Amino acid sequence: MDVELDLDLAMGLVALAVAVYGLVAALLSRYSVSAAFSFLVIGAIIGGAGIGVMSDELPRGVSLSLLAEVTLALVLFSAASTIRIKRLEMDSPLVGRLLVIGLPLTIAIGTLLALGLFPGISFGLALLMGTILAPTDADLGHQVITDRSVPARIRRILNVESGLNDGIAAPVVTLAIALAAFGDVGEMNPLIDAVRELGLAIVIGVAIGAVGRWLLIRADIRRTSTRSSRQLATLALAMAAYFIAAGFEASGFIAAFAAGLAYGVGSKERVEQAVSFTEAQSVLLSILVWLVFGLIVFSEHVIGLDDPVVILYALLALTVTRMLPVAIALIGSGFDKASVAFIGWFGPRGLASVVFVLLALEALGEAGVDAGPLGPVVSWTVVLSVVLHGFSARGLASRYGRFAKGLPEGSPETLGDAEPRRASWTFHDHRTRGLDE
């Protein structure tokens, strides 16, 4: 029997769930239970049990896509602002291969698989499916990124790749949504629009990020601000980059990402202190997105699904679609086959895929276009990724770490000992992560 909850009561219960998780996060982490898994399960249980929120209590104009958009914008800004460009000189050729060769190949293979496994869907919808499932999420495999038995270079490559590929995929998602919704390339010129959006977003983002950083440093030196006010200003800059770009019909995601890159250039101490509040907000909003995903998307597209082709696509997306492009991209890198397989496997699909599918489903719904297998495919892929990558991380990292100890001295996997820079605010215990603070 369905049960409806008052909105205030529902929000209170969600807040309690977040509080309880915060108290046991380190304990759950020991058993490879992440925040994503926890709140996805909570949302799925609530949705599957038929417990909902009273629809007439929801504020008018509140959109799930807005929550998703703001969350990803903050995540992109925070991730970009913590990337240390100077530390990437040794790894940049390999990261570049994964982004310039591997990511497009992943999108292409995912698109072709969609066209082959789901006859009758449009090219736009197939491209949308392939692109949504291309970005990776290092947070779902945080135990790999922070396990010191795994060579630092491998962990740096995985960390930086995941921080960059969702920002790169964002304009392609925009293009694919337009193609799926309207279909007529001749009338809408989606490629030209996408290029314009990308260029304008970069200009807006870089301008806001660079000027904001300059002002932040000056305010700190002249003591015209406090630590808390600088943290608030940083959050506002991330939001400004996203919404101003969106106001000019450019990609807000790219603007937020570009703003984060520009904001994080140079001295990191002041920037990292200021960005910690933005990171905290992105973590909290991410939890809400995972809860919404479990409550709505999971319950609608996963529970009761009886189409084996959807599950087949999900499994291929986590294996062939990711691992083959990685293997091709790393040809000539000198990496051992085990290292290539390790990097290929740990490409979990997480927050970016969830946000993109929420945006796509809403946009297609407003355009009156049938989303076809998009919802079930993305839902199943993300759910399987959360489970398979999350619970395999500790064991496979340990096993690969033992293997890596036997690699010859001077192997490309072992070059450089700098630890990957991770967000300074996280549910995971810093003592077990070996952060480069």
Side-chain angles (χ1 to χ4, degrees):
M1 182 176 66
D2 290 349
V3 178
E4 286 192 338
L5 294 179
D6 177 82
L7 179 61
D8 292 335
L9 178 58
M11 294 301 294
L13 292 176
V14 169
L16 284 177
V18 174
V20 170
Y21 179 82
L23 297 175
V24 297
L27 176 63
L28 292 177
S29 181
R30 296 173 195 169
Y31 298 97
S32 301
V33 178
S34 64
F37 179 83
S38 301
F39 286 92
L40 187 153
V41 169
I42 291 172
I45 291 174
I46 293 174
I51 301 174
V53 179
M54 293 177 63
S55 59
D56 58 353
E57 292 286 334
L58 290 172
R60 293 182 181 273
V62 171
S63 170
L64 293 179
S65 66
L66 180 60
L67 169 64
E69 291 171 20
V70 171
T71 301
L72 186 56
L74 294 184
V75 169
L76 289 171
F77 181 93
S78 300
S81 67
T82 59
I83 293 175
R84 298 183 174 183
I85 304 297
K86 293 182 179 180
R87 291 280 187 93
L88 297 181
E89 292 179 357
M90 182 182 299
D91 306 324
S92 58
L94 296 180
V95 174
R97 288 187 183 199
L98 292 174
L99 296 175
V100 175
I101 300 174
L103 183 61
L105 279 177
T106 297
I107 294 174
I109 294 175
T111 302
L112 292 175
L113 278 176
L115 291 171
L117 292 177
F118 304 105
I121 69 170
S122 66
F123 173 77
L125 193 58
L127 177 63
L128 186 56
M129 195 179 299
T131 308
I132 285 176
L133 293 174
T136 58
D137 185 348
D139 195 54
L140 291 182
H142 74 276
Q143 290 176 328
V144 172
I145 304 297
T146 59
D147 190 331
R148 285 179 179 266
S149 67
V150 177
R153 192 182 194 196
I154 299 296
R155 293 183 285 122
R156 291 196 306 267
I157 289 171
L158 287 171
N159 189 48
V160 176
E161 181 204 8
S162 70
L164 295 173
N165 57 19
D166 42 9
I168 295 173
V172 186
V173 171
T174 301
L175 169 64
I177 290 176
L179 282 172
F182 302 105
D184 193 338
V185 178
E187 290 184 5
M188 55 177 287
N189 295 319
L191 184 58
I192 296 176
D193 288 345
V195 172
R196 182 194 66 81
E197 289 183 11
L198 177 62
L200 183 57
I202 291 174
V203 171
I204 292 173
V206 170
I208 291 177
V211 173
R213 178 182 174 278
W214 185 83
L215 292 173
L216 170 84
I217 294 175
R218 295 301 178 276
D220 190 10
I221 293 174
R222 297 178 180 179
R223 297 184 180 181
T224 60
S225 64
T226 65
R227 179 174 179 176
S228 297
S229 67
R230 289 191 296 274
Q231 291 177 340
L232 181 61
T234 302
L235 174 64
L237 286 173
M239 300 289 286
Y242 174 80
F243 283 109
I244 290 176
F248 282 98
E249 298 185 350
S251 173
F253 296 134
I254 296 299
F257 185 75
L261 283 175
Y263 188 76
V265 170
S267 175
K268 291 290 180 180
E269 183 177 356
R270 290 187 178 93
V271 170
E272 288 175 4
Q273 291 177 354
V275 85
S276 61
F277 181 68
T278 302
E279 292 172 340
Q281 302 312 304
S282 69
V283 170
L284 179 59
L285 290 177
S286 297
I287 284 176
L288 294 179
V289 171
W290 281 111
L291 185 68
V292 169
F293 177 75
L295 179 65
I296 298 177
V297 181
F298 182 91
S299 60
E300 288 184 3
H301 298 297
V302 175
I303 297 176
L305 179 76
D306 57 359
D307 187 355
V309 179
V310 168
I311 300 176
L312 174 62
Y313 185 98
L315 291 173
L316 291 174
L318 297 177
T319 53
V320 176
T321 305
R322 159 72 181 179
M323 299 179 77
L324 180 59
V326 167
I328 294 174
L330 295 180
I331 291 176
S333 66
F335 279 0
D336 187 273
K337 292 180 180 178
S339 301
V340 174
F342 186 79
I343 294 173
W345 169 245
F346 281 107
R349 310 316 196 277
L351 181 66
S353 296
V354 171
V355 171
F356 287 150
V357 78
L358 287 174
L359 295 175
L361 291 175
E362 181 164 312
L364 294 178
E366 291 177 352
V369 175
D370 183 8
L374 178 65
V377 162
V378 176
S379 299
W380 266 102
T381 305
V382 170
V383 169
L384 288 176
S385 181
V386 169
V387 174
L388 297 178
H389 287 114
F391 287 96
S392 69
R394 184 185 295 272
L396 289 182
S398 177
R399 186 173 179 178
Y400 175 72
R402 292 193 297 269
F403 165 81
K405 288 182 179 179
L407 290 172
E409 186 176 353
S411 296
E413 291 94 332
T414 61
L415 297 178
D417 58 0
E419 286 294 310
R421 171 65 172 87
R422 297 287 291 160
S424 61
W425 203 101
T426 173
F427 273 122
H428 308 300
D429 192 342
H430 287 192
R431 293 171 298 176
T432 65
R433 294 171 62 113
L435 296 183
D436 182 13
E437 296 294 352

